Amino acid sequence: MKDEINKYLEQNKTSEFKSLLFSFIDEKNLNDSEVYKRVGIDRKIFSKIRCIPHYIPKKNNVIKLCLSLSLDMDETNKLLSSAGY
């Protein structure tokens, strides 16, 4: 039972991260290439974020995303917590 709960929480957490990230990107009117170039991450990593439903990048990369999108402290905390950090 405990494993099922953890699995459920993990799945919901990751989908929230992805949707939240791309809503911030849409608000800033940026396209994918602008974002991964600003962040300084590989296109392949960004593609994993976009295409793999339960993919969570390393904390370092999530922080880079927050900084490159000029998120305020509340938005940054929200994105980090949605990724499980």
Side-chain angles (χ1 to χ4, degrees):
M1 182 73 162
K2 184 178 178 183
D3 291 332
E4 291 176 22
I5 293 172
N6 288 335
K7 184 178 178 181
Y8 173 81
L9 291 173
E10 189 67 30
Q11 288 174 344
N12 288 325
K13 178 173 46 180
T14 57
S15 62
E16 181 184 339
F17 167 76
K18 181 178 174 178
S19 63
L20 186 59
L21 172 64
F22 288 107
S23 71
F24 287 139
I25 290 171
D26 291 342
E27 286 176 17
K28 306 288 183 179
N29 295 318
L30 299 171
N31 62 37
D32 289 357
S33 63
E34 290 173 317
V35 174
Y36 67 74
K37 287 177 184 175
R38 276 185 175 187
V39 176
I41 60 174
D42 187 41
R43 178 180 53 89
K44 292 177 186 178
I45 292 173
F46 195 82
S47 180
K48 286 180 182 180
I49 296 169
R50 166 115 16 231
C51 299
I52 300 174
H54 304 294
Y55 182 78
I56 294 289
K58 293 180 180 179
K59 186 176 183 179
N60 237 12
N61 289 332
V62 177
I63 292 171
K64 288 178 184 179
L65 285 163
C66 294
L67 293 172
S68 70
L69 294 170
S70 302
L71 300 181
D72 65 25
M73 188 59 85
D74 291 333
E75 293 168 329
T76 298
N77 286 331
K78 190 173 182 180
L79 189 61
L80 282 167
S81 68
S82 73
Y85 301 118

